[in-house]
Each structure stands twice: as structure tokens, then as C-alpha cells.
Amino acid sequence: MHAPLSATDRSTAAQIGGRNAPIGALRAFITLLVIAHHTALSYHPYAPPPKAFDAQPILWTAFPMVDPQKFGGFGLFTLVNDMFFMSLMFFISGLFVADGLRAKGDGGFLRGRVLRLGAPFILGVGLLAPLGYYPAWLQAGGANSLPAFADAWTHLPFWPSGPAWFLWVLLAFGAIVTALHIMAPGVIDALGGLAKGAERKPARFFWGLVALSVLFYLPLAMTTPFGHWSMVGPFLVQTARIGHYFVYFLAGIAVGAAGVGYGLTDPDGKLAKRWWLWWAAPVLPIVGGIAAMIMAFSPNPPPRAFLDVFGGVSFCLACAGLSFATLATFLRFVRKTGPLGASLQANAYGMYLVHYVFTSWLAWMLLPQSWGGLAKGCAVFVGAVALSWLTTMLLRRMPLLGRIL
């Protein structure tokens, strides 16, 4: 009789057998959503007009390039996408933490996180972010001069980090969980217990996730300005969402403790089998979130407390619903990875790191064209995906960068 497989062994076997194919494909898909999101912002119907580079509030960090040609659909796309795509990224990142800690130990896991997240963060804030925001400097009327741009950049009240903000937050979350694991070695198994039986009763895990995210999101959302970011040097994070993101990271750890491809992520579990039903879950919360946004910017908005509670609960429900629906769809329909999908998955991390440079510069280059916002957005998205994909493939040929990426 064979001894039972450990969670790490099950996860390894699942990867060899293709049970991780849905998660790899989902991770690549979310990367494409990130690129699409940053592309759409250039043609957003409510993107603010360009102004002086250092004029407050500094909005070019969110809209690095603003084209006068708009597309209304991009407003709805970015609003709905913003409800879940970063939260789902934290969840996916958490899926592999349990296996990492078991396989490498606390010190080895943390050293690996520092190399894989810390080094790219430094590269992102030191090189890629300035490159990505240089078109914003030009559109604001700045001289086409690197010394002039560097002088303006270093006199900003913070250091814009672009998409790299995700890396330092993820590294901090990993350090917190590692510290907890050192002090209480059973914490991972305890988290895993919260997801026990999720392959049979995914709704129970869903409601637990919603409840915790509301608990961690609402207090901050009700006490900070709407859309506020906390900024200390290059360390930026959405103030109201920091606790919410940590909940999703811990949820990923809980699910991954059983082994990726098992539990909630079982391709033969109820979540996957009822994928079509899960798409009904976020519909009403999405409508509620949109309604809250409309009311907030109406001439006579309701009291802030009502908007915070109504909008906050709608956000948490929509986030969980969209995350579960997307996960269920990939679990149901992705059974294996072909050559193109394998390449996209292998290069997804690098594409996330470098894409901002291409979305900004391509949007800048297309400013003189009269194609309309939709056509320009599609062109920039395709170009940014292709260029960031190719760039990552080349970077991964370098020994050190290949190890990181």
C-alpha cells in the first residue's frame, strides 16, 4: 500500500498531470486584463484633461496618457474590471504560498520572495515607471529632455511606481505570513481548515470571503477619501483596499493549502460544474456598484455613510462574485495547455512588469491619428501585448533575469 501524498506532492503531481492548467491560464488571463485596463484608461470617457506635470492633484499616475478621442465602453469596462482583477491577483498569488513554505522552509521561502518580488520592484520603480510616465511629461508640456524630466520627477512629492506597487505589497504580505508561520507553525493548516470541503460547498467559502472582506474594507472605506492612495516614497497602495487585498491573499493560502488542483480549485468540483450559475452572482452587485458611483457624483448625492456602506458592500459582493465566476469558468473549460498558452503563462510575470511602458508610448504615438477611441485602444492593446511578450522572452534568456522571471 502506498503512503498518502502530502499536499506538496499532490500539487506537484497535479501540475504534471495538467490539473494546474486552469490556474496557469487564469493567471495569464488576468495579466491580459491588466494590460487591457491600462490601455483603456487612455481613452476613458472621463479621463481628466492634461495639465502641468506637478499640478495637484497629480492624476497622470492613473491616466499617463489622455487621448481626446474617447470610447464610452471603456468607462464601463474599467469600472467593472477594477472591482475584482487586482483582488483575484492576490488570491492567485496566495495559492502557492503553502507549498512554498513546506518545500523551502521559512527562510528559503522569504529569500525567494525577495529575489522574485523585491528585485523587480526596484527595477520597476527605478527604470520602468519613469519610462512609462515620460509620455505624460511630454503631454503636460514638458521639454523633450531627460535632465529636465529627471529634475521634475525627483521634485514630485512621491515616487510613482506604476504597476510595481503590487510587488511590494505582495512581498509585505508574504513576509507577514512567514512571520506568523515562524511563531505559529500550524497557521497554514489552520487556514487550510477554513477551505475544507470547498470542492463540495463553494458557496460556504464564498460567503465567508465576502464577510471578511466587508469587515476589513468598510472601516477604511468610511474613514478615507474616495480613491485615496497611501504614498511613502515609491511605496504606494490603495488605502481602503489594503485589508481587503490581504483577505484575498489569505483566502488563496487557505485554498492552496490542500494543493492546487484540489479543494476549491478542483476541476471536477462543484464550482467548476456550476460555472454558469456563478456568473449570476455578481450581476446585482455590479449594478449596485455602478449606481453608487452615479449617486456619488450626482448633483444631490445621498449621505456619505449610506454611499460608503451601500457601495462598499456592493464592491465586496461583486469582487467575490466575479472572482468565483472567472475561476469557475477556467476550471471548467481549461484542461490542458498548448504551446501558445504555455508561452503566455511562462512570460506573464514579465509582461506585467514591462507592459506599462508600451501602453503609454503606443498611446502617445497614436495621438495624431483619427481612428477613434475604440480602434486606438484595440491597436494599443494588441501592440502592448505583443511587445511586452517579446521583450519578456528576450529578458528571460539572460541568466539572472531568467531565474527571476
Side-chain angles (χ1 to χ4, degrees), residues 302-362:
R304 160 105 192 244
F306 169 80
L307 285 175
D308 286 340
V309 173
F310 178 73
V313 172
S314 296
F315 165 73
C316 293
L317 283 168
C319 182
L322 286 165
S323 297
F324 269 57
T326 307
L327 176 60
T329 303
F330 277 81
L331 289 172
R332 171 62 181 83
F333 292 103
V334 179
R335 296 294 178 173
K336 60 181 181 179
T337 302
L340 188 65
S343 176
L344 179 60
Q345 292 176 33
N347 293 288
Y349 182 35
M351 292 170 66
Y352 176 86
L353 291 175
V354 305
H355 77 274
Y356 213 57
V357 175
F358 297 116
T359 55
S360 297
W361 278 100
L362 288 173

Side-chain angles (χ1 to χ4, degrees), residues 35 38 64-65 123-124 127-135 162-163 350-365 380 383-384 387-388 391:
I35 300 175
H38 290 148
M65 183 51 51
L123 176 65
L127 176 63
L128 297 177
L131 281 175
Y133 287 123
Y134 191 77
M351 292 170 66
Y352 176 86
L353 291 175
V354 305
H355 77 274
Y356 213 57
V357 175
F358 297 116
T359 55
S360 297
W361 278 100
L362 288 173
W364 165 256
M365 293 169 63
V380 171
L387 289 172
S388 57
T391 301

Side-chain angles (χ1 to χ4, degrees), residues 134-404:
Y134 191 77
W137 159 259
L138 295 176
Q139 192 173 39
N144 190 5
S145 163
L146 288 178
F149 172 67
D151 181 68
W153 183 272
T154 53
H155 283 85
L156 291 171
F158 63 100
W159 186 289
S161 58
W165 72 266
F166 172 72
L167 305 183
W168 87 261
V169 176
L170 192 58
L171 178 58
F173 286 172
I176 292 171
V177 169
T178 303
L180 291 174
H181 190 250
I182 292 172
M183 293 184 290
V187 67
I188 298 299
D189 291 334
L191 284 172
L194 298 176
K196 188 176 181 180
E199 71 279 7
R200 294 178 287 104
K201 297 181 178 180
R204 184 172 61 184
F205 190 80
F206 170 85
W207 287 113
L209 178 61
V210 170
L212 281 175
S213 65
V214 168
L215 181 64
F216 278 79
Y217 176 73
L218 273 188
L220 288 173
M222 297 180 72
T223 53
T224 57
F226 175 76
H228 184 265
W229 284 70
S230 296
M231 306 172 182
V232 180
F235 301 101
L236 282 67
V237 69
Q238 293 158 292
T239 309
R241 295 190 184 183
I242 184 65
H244 168 83
Y245 287 149
F246 191 52
V247 166
Y248 271 74
F249 183 68
L250 293 178
I253 296 175
V255 171
V260 179
Y262 296 88
L264 187 71
T265 58
D266 187 345
D268 297 316
K270 282 193 175 181
L271 180 66
K273 290 180 178 178
R274 298 179 178 178
W275 65 273
W276 53 272
L277 189 60
W278 280 100
W279 277 108
V283 173
L284 287 179
I286 289 173
V287 173
I290 294 173
M293 189 71 67
I294 293 173
M295 288 187 290
F297 290 96
S298 65
N300 298 300
R304 160 105 192 244
F306 169 80
L307 285 175
D308 286 340
V309 173
F310 178 73
V313 172
S314 296
F315 165 73
C316 293
L317 283 168
C319 182
L322 286 165
S323 297
F324 269 57
T326 307
L327 176 60
T329 303
F330 277 81
L331 289 172
R332 171 62 181 83
F333 292 103
V334 179
R335 296 294 178 173
K336 60 181 181 179
T337 302
L340 188 65
S343 176
L344 179 60
Q345 292 176 33
N347 293 288
Y349 182 35
M351 292 170 66
Y352 176 86
L353 291 175
V354 305
H355 77 274
Y356 213 57
V357 175
F358 297 116
T359 55
S360 297
W361 278 100
L362 288 173
W364 165 256
M365 293 169 63
L366 290 182
L367 275 177
Q369 306 303 322
S370 301
W371 301 351
L374 177 59
K376 284 186 175 183
C378 291
V380 171
F381 172 71
V382 172
V385 168
L387 289 172
S388 57
W389 197 337
L390 178 60
T391 301
T392 303
M393 291 174 67
L394 294 175
L395 292 175
R396 289 178 63 229
R397 292 179 176 271
M398 303 177 185
L400 180 59
L401 288 177
R403 181 183 174 191
I404 294 173

Side-chain angles (χ1 to χ4, degrees), residues 105-122:
D106 300 313
F109 173 77
L110 194 54
R111 285 193 297 271
R113 294 289 84 188
V114 170
L115 177 64
R116 184 164 169 78
L117 299 173
F121 174 73
I122 294 172

